[in-house]
Amino acid sequence: MKYPSSPAPRLAAAVQKVTAHALGPYQSAVVRIGFSLTWLLFLLREWPHRHELYGPDGPWSWEMGRRLIADNHSFSALMWSDGGLWFEIVYGLAVLSAALLLLGWHTRAVSVLFMAGVLSLQNRSIFMGDGGDNVLHLMALYLVFVRCGQVWSLDARRAARARARTSEDSEGAEETPGTAGADGPAGPLLWIVLGGFLMAATWFSGVSGEGWLLALFWVLWLGHALWWLVGRYAPGEPRTLLDVIANLTHNVTLVVIMAEVCLIYATAGWYKVQGSRWQDGTALYYPLHLDYFTPWPALSALLAGSGVLVLLVSYGTVIVQVAFPFTLFHRRIKNVLLAAMMLEHAGIAVLLGLPFFSLAMIAADAVFLPTVFLVWLGGQAAWGRDRLLRRPPAAPPVPEGPEDPEAVRLPEQGRTDEGTGAGPRTLVG
């Protein structure tokens, strides 16, 4: 008589996987790049109009913003002063943090600065948005908890070079305290600067938003300090514990991002189903005749002139949005609908003149992109860079499985124990 096998080994394997690895390194990197690029391009495009949008010359005055924030308890560093110089500093830091996050430079600390910049500007003038600002608002919070610099970042390249130097110098010798996490003075200096910013936020706690947000800033600041100290002076079990906590936080947040995207599409699709214009297939016809949403009048008129095309696009939009959350466990159908949604947002950017809304949604959709496709895309980008700079081509990583986020073993993601020859460490195996 055969007895059913115990679920304990499977459970242990699952626990080990989520604690030993930060899953989806390429997906989280694409989300980081997409949202930082969206915010950076928006800030640069609106640079000539920044004073009217978020500054002292805007119709939503500083006093009105102060009253609103006193009611909803949101965070905005622009409420600390109504001076023009302070506004320029905050706007400049927002641009700088978006650029640094795009490059992946000290992503743990810069992601917090990026979040502060997004919240400060968006909460200053809440009516300056097109829908994509809400998605960016949420993702700026989530990126703080995601290990989004494992690949395609300056952090990953610096870590790979540090491991190569350690391997060459020690020739397999055991790592000594002081070698891990030694990334020069930039990390401690950035920590000190952000500490001054945090002290200012505490000083202006009356206008800095909810107390929980200020407490979160302090926890993140102290956590970054602890991570650096442990990585430099205690690379044993304390570092293992921090790796486990970081991996768990990353994996849980990645699931939250996926659920958020599904919720956005599910609610949008079911609300459309209830609208009479979407039911008769004419919903797309009306925005194509609004001057505000027709940057290319001839192209909009061409599309609106075909009743069959308007009907197909209107119905197709509803079907794709409603069906997508139900296809996540069927890889091929999910990839087809994912491509359809990205093309839909690209069409919105061109036809309706909403490029930053579309970029934000495409960046959110990227969390579902297949790992194999992202590895191929990264290889093509590296090949083009090498051809442009006349460098010898590097050997591309070879995936072992079609959907395994840990299938591609690059130097910057293969180990969480930086500087040693051991594999990923975990408290359960």
Side-chain angles (χ1 to χ4, degrees):
M1 179 177 180
K2 295 183 179 180
Y3 294 93
S5 58
S6 173
R10 295 183 179 180
L11 179 61
V15 172
Q16 181 175 357
K17 185 171 185 178
V18 298
T19 57
H21 302 285
L23 303 177
Y26 291 93
Q27 287 80 359
S28 57
V30 171
V31 171
R32 182 201 85 229
I33 293 171
F35 280 101
S36 58
L37 180 62
T38 301
W39 184 237
L40 178 62
L41 292 177
F42 174 79
L43 294 179
L44 292 179
R45 191 195 71 169
E46 302 298 343
W47 182 272
H49 314 290
R50 63 189 184 280
H51 295 100
E52 290 78 15
L53 290 177
Y54 303 110
D57 299 335
W60 191 257
S61 65
W62 185 86
E63 182 62 27
M64 295 173 67
R66 187 188 65 82
R67 293 181 180 180
L68 178 63
I69 288 178
D71 292 335
N72 61 17
H73 304 287
S74 57
F75 172 83
S76 178
L78 290 176
M79 291 295 100
W80 300 353
S81 173
D82 60 349
L85 178 60
W86 176 242
F87 168 76
E88 297 292 350
I89 292 174
V90 173
Y91 199 94
L93 286 177
V95 173
L96 179 62
S97 64
L100 293 178
L101 189 63
L102 175 64
L103 298 175
W105 183 81
H106 291 275
T107 52
R108 290 192 186 97
V110 171
S111 62
V112 180
L113 188 60
F114 176 79
M115 176 184 68
V118 171
L119 297 182
S120 295
L121 293 176
Q122 288 190 352
N123 291 334
R124 169 63 177 84
S125 298
I126 60 174
F127 299 108
M128 301 299 175
D130 54 11
D133 57 313
N134 295 326
V135 181
L136 180 62
H137 195 107
L138 293 172
M139 294 302 170
L141 294 170
Y142 297 150
L143 282 175
V144 173
F145 303 99
V146 174
R147 304 184 74 173
C148 53
Q150 299 178 94
V151 296
W152 298 341
S153 66
L154 296 179
D155 287 349
R157 185 167 67 172
R158 184 177 64 252
R161 290 177 177 177
R163 281 193 298 269
R165 288 196 302 268
T166 303
S167 177
E168 292 175 359
D169 294 342
S170 63
E171 294 183 356
E174 185 177 356
E175 180 186 24
T176 58
T179 59
D183 54 359
L189 182 61
L190 184 60
W191 178 76
I192 293 173
V193 171
L194 291 179
F197 175 83
L198 186 55
M199 291 180 66
T202 305
W203 179 266
F204 293 100
S205 59
V207 292
S208 293
E210 291 281 5
W212 69 265
L213 185 59
L214 192 60
L216 174 62
F217 280 130
W218 275 108
V219 169
L220 293 173
W221 186 73
L222 294 174
H224 292 163
L226 180 63
W227 184 279
W228 185 86
L229 290 172
V230 168
R232 189 174 180 87
Y233 298 109
E237 288 301 320
R239 175 59 188 271
T240 303
L241 177 61
L242 290 184
D243 281 334
V244 169
I245 295 174
N247 290 335
L248 283 174
T249 304
H250 166 95
N251 295 330
V252 170
T253 307
L254 206 60
V255 172
V256 171
I257 293 175
M258 294 178 180
E260 190 75 43
V261 175
C262 291
L263 183 62
I264 290 173
Y265 283 117
T267 54
W270 285 108
Y271 270 110
K272 287 183 175 67
V273 168
Q274 302 174 45
S276 59
R277 301 304 180 190
W278 290 100
Q279 293 174 6
D280 59 26
T282 62
L284 184 63
Y285 176 84
Y286 298 98
L288 293 176
H289 286 79
L290 297 176
D291 293 337
Y292 185 77
F293 292 110
T294 53
W296 311 98
L299 185 60
S300 299
L302 180 63
L303 178 59
S306 174
V308 175
L309 191 56
V310 170
L311 178 69
L312 292 177
V313 174
S314 298
Y315 281 169
T317 299
V318 176
I319 293 172
V320 168
Q321 291 183 351
V322 172
F324 178 75
F326 300 99
T327 63
L328 294 182
F329 298 102
H330 195 290
R331 187 181 64 193
R332 293 183 178 178
I333 298 179
K334 181 263 293 183
N335 291 339
V336 171
L337 294 185
L338 186 62
M341 289 192 302
M342 289 185 170
L343 290 175
E344 173 193 343
H345 289 300
I348 291 175
V350 175
L351 290 174
L352 302 182
L354 298 173
F356 299 108
F357 165 78
S358 299
L359 278 176
M361 291 307 304
I362 291 174
D365 295 341
V367 73
F368 294 105
L369 287 175
T371 300
V372 171
F373 170 75
L374 292 176
V375 173
W376 174 84
L377 189 63
Q380 295 300 310
W383 178 82
R385 177 202 61 196
D386 294 337
R387 289 291 299 271
L388 182 63
L389 300 178
R390 300 181 182 276
R391 294 178 179 175
V398 180
E400 299 174 0
E403 284 290 338
D404 184 6
E406 297 301 324
V408 182
R409 293 294 180 181
L410 293 182
E412 55 265 35
Q413 83 178 67
R415 307 184 186 94
T416 56
D417 185 13
E418 298 177 3
T420 70
R425 298 182 299 176
T426 172
L427 293 180
V428 297

